[in-house]
Amino acid sequence: MPQDEIVRPVVTISRRGADRLRAGHVWVYRSDVIDAKNVPTGALVTIQELSQKPALNGAKGSGRSARTLPPRVLGSALYSTASEIALRMISTKPVNDLERLVRERIRAAIAYRERFVEDTNAYRMIFSEADFLPGLIVDRYNDLLSIQVVTQAMDAAPMREVFLSELQHALSPAAIVERVDPRVRRLEQLPEKESGVICEDAGPGRAVLRDHITTEFQMNGVRFLFEALGGQKTGAFLDQRENYAAAAQYARGEALDVFCYQGGFALHLAKVCEKVTGVDSSRPALELAERSAALNGKEIEWIEANAFDLLRDYSDQGRQYDCIVLDPPAFAKSRQNLETALRGYKELNLRALKMLRAGGILVTCSCSYHISAAGLLEMVQAAGLDSHRIIRLLENRGQAKDHPTVLGIPETAYLKCLVLLVS
Ligand code: SAH
């Protein structure tokens, strides 16, 4: 063995698991793990496929014994002792220097954004598997970085040290905040922790408060406030950024933004529409939306309501709009509730179709991975038939390019956004 080759723990996986990796995916489910004895939490491991016994082609008793083939090595992965996704591949090659690899991956992710992201200072800088840094999500909001760590391997202290120092070195942010999803940490059996500032470089004259960090960012010429650790901890839906611009390209007249959150679509529509109304059930989200509207000198009506009730009431009252945006939360969390989810989407779309004036624009979205682009189109087509509307497809869109879709990893494509002309 060459001297510099480090012996890693080895995890043996099934043929089915290996086939998935050979098709370009990066996950191995626990059910495909055959042997991972004594592998520590979050370890970097070598993946090997269970040896296949060659078929015996001699007759019985010919004296030839079946020799097992040597195990086939598939690459290097990060191991979780808790998740159903036991292995997340990080390279198809042996990895001797994980630190160097992670630093290179971060620099490559930054270079990708420099090349393809335009007209904004808020975007996803690192998107986990889509950037071959599984378990790490980093969003940039102007001078702030907001990170999320969702696997044992990425949460390990030496690993955190590596990516935090690389991010600081490459981007010199005013502060890095960590957003914690307690449910994810529980599932991954990580110790509980709170969201908070993990490092800061306030710089001269710039005071950063520990429990409340605010900045302002812009996208497509629209200004937004961002509260890193305020009441609303989710951040913005950066994946819709290019769709906001697309919606504004077609919208006019009176617009209704349903499930508006902090006003992403509404604030863009306010550039081109006479009147804009945003609807959401979250008051803190609407309060931030209003502050962003003021920043842009726009007047937008914000309504705190259950969108289903409001759409029913408004359509019963015969209200009419020239543009309606539907961007509900993911209704289909799993394949099991797909039917129910589709019924929910259809109800919303039917109501919206009923309320659109002839020549109106419907922007309808789904961020459920389990609902395909074809499935969404089919649902809208059915709603069009039921409501006797003719629908023309103007744009069939997905997530913004800072949330890359990797061919072979279907889970990296999840957002659908249709821009439709309704007559
Ligand atoms: N369009 C937004 C993102 C929407 S996320 C943007 O581009 O930023 C989904 C939103 O739906 C969340 O803000 C959530 O508060 C809201 N929501 C969830 N269920 C709702 C309901 N039944 N009625 C109204 N809003 C709801």
Side-chain angles (χ1 to χ4, degrees):
M1 189 191 294
Q3 278 229 310
D4 59 349
E5 200 163 301
I6 300 162
V7 183
R8 302 278 178 206
V10 174
V11 175
T12 309
I13 65 169
S14 68
R15 171 79 182 269
R16 188 178 60 174
D19 282 346
R20 188 178 298 109
L21 296 182
R22 277 191 285 266
H25 211 297
V26 287
W27 290 350
V28 178
Y29 292 101
R30 185 142 329 264
S31 54
D32 287 321
V33 170
I34 290 175
D35 183 14
K37 265 196 261 341
N38 304 323
V39 178
T41 45
L44 172 66
V45 303
T46 299
I47 314 181
Q48 69 176 23
E49 184 179 2
L50 183 68
S51 314
Q52 303 289 313
K53 287 213 172 78
L56 274 179
N57 43 15
K60 243 193 200 162
S62 66
R64 287 180 56 199
S65 65
R67 261 187 314 123
T68 353
L69 293 174
R72 209 175 327 181
V73 172
L74 292 152
S76 308
L78 300 172
Y79 183 69
S80 166
T81 53
S83 170
E84 271 314 297
I85 304 167
L87 294 164
R88 293 169 201 251
M89 186 100 138
I90 189 154
S91 174
T92 50
K93 301 190 188 94
V95 173
N96 288 330
D97 190 341
L98 183 60
E99 171 171 347
R100 201 174 82 191
L101 181 71
V102 168
R103 289 185 189 275
E104 278 169 12
R105 291 273 154 82
I106 292 174
R107 286 196 290 268
I110 293 171
Y112 170 93
R113 273 70 184 176
E114 279 169 358
R115 184 164 171 204
F116 296 112
V117 176
E118 289 175 340
D119 213 3
T120 184
N121 57 6
Y123 47 91
R124 183 149 290 185
M125 189 73 92
I126 296 173
F127 192 17
S128 202
E129 278 80 356
D131 286 298
F132 291 91
L133 286 166
L136 179 63
I137 294 170
V138 179
D139 292 330
R140 174 186 168 196
Y141 293 94
N142 186 13
D143 52 350
L144 300 182
L145 294 182
S146 166
I147 72 157
Q148 243 187 314
V149 176
V150 298
T151 57
Q152 291 173 353
M154 281 295 162
D155 200 52
M159 181 65 107
R160 292 175 67 99
E161 187 69 39
V162 168
F163 66 71
L164 288 173
S165 67
E166 188 62 36
L167 288 171
Q168 261 178 326
H169 174 75
L171 305 159
S172 319
I176 300 181
V177 296
E178 180 167 8
R179 238 175 66 202
V180 173
D181 181 343
R183 199 187 60 94
V184 171
R185 285 190 76 88
R186 254 193 319 276
L187 284 176
E188 193 69 0
Q189 289 170 10
L190 292 169
E192 274 182 38
K193 85 188 274 189
E194 300 256 310
S195 295
V197 183
I198 44 177
C199 35
E200 62 185 64
D201 173 16
R206 203 196 136 105
V208 178
L209 301 176
R210 286 219 145 254
D211 56 347
H212 194 78
I213 296 191
T214 305
T215 194
E216 187 193 314
F217 64 89
Q218 68 81 24
M219 52 170 77
N220 312 306
V222 178
R223 296 163 73 184
F224 287 88
L225 283 172
F226 173 64
E227 279 192 350
L229 298 166
Q232 199 77 23
K233 289 191 184 130
T234 347
F237 287 88
L238 301 171
D239 51 1
Q240 288 280 27
R241 186 182 55 254
E242 294 169 7
N243 298 330
Y244 297 152
Q249 198 186 324
Y250 300 100
R252 57 182 190 190
E254 277 180 75
L256 181 66
D257 177 7
V258 188
F259 304 97
C260 67
Y261 186 58
Q262 295 171 356
F265 279 103
L267 282 151
H268 280 79
L269 297 177
K271 288 201 291 188
V272 291
C273 294
E274 284 146 35
K275 184 170 188 283
V276 180
T277 303
V279 182
D280 202 280
S281 57
S282 161
R283 175 175 284 272
L286 294 178
E287 283 169 356
L288 201 62
E290 170 56 20
R291 287 168 57 201
S292 292
L295 203 61
N296 290 277
K298 297 288 181 197
E299 232 174 79
I300 297 176
E301 175 188 35
W302 306 106
I303 302 179
E304 182 187 345
N306 179 320
F308 284 89
D309 297 344
L310 180 121
L311 284 178
R312 193 192 48 233
D313 293 349
Y314 276 24
S315 64
D316 287 352
Q317 292 164 19
R319 294 215 191 193
Q320 296 274 285
Y321 291 90
D322 302 293
C323 175
I324 298 179
V325 177
L326 299 174
D327 185 18
F331 292 151
K333 298 267 190 230
S334 72
R335 220 178 290 278
Q336 280 74 38
N337 68 354
L338 195 61
E339 288 287 305
T340 327
L342 276 169
R343 269 202 299 280
Y345 284 111
K346 188 167 173 197
E347 178 180 338
L348 294 172
N349 281 272
L350 261 174
R351 302 261 185 223
L353 285 170
K354 210 176 140 187
M355 289 198 287
L356 278 167
R357 296 194 179 100
I361 299 292
L362 175 62
V363 180
T364 190
C365 311
S366 166
C367 55
S368 302
Y369 163 66
H370 297 285
I371 293 190
S372 65
L376 186 68
L377 273 169
E378 206 176 293
M379 179 279 297
V380 178
Q381 185 189 344
L385 286 172
D386 290 0
S387 56
H388 309 288
R389 306 301 302 255
I390 292 168
I391 304 175
R392 289 183 172 83
L393 178 62
L394 294 173
E395 296 207 21
N396 188 347
R397 308 179 57 88
Q399 65 232 28
K401 286 184 282 290
D402 50 330
H403 294 61
T405 293
V406 183
L407 302 190
I409 317 178
E411 291 81 359
T412 57
Y414 61 95
L415 181 64
K416 277 80 47 185
C417 173
L418 306 175
V419 184
L420 306 158
L421 176 67
V422 179
S423 36

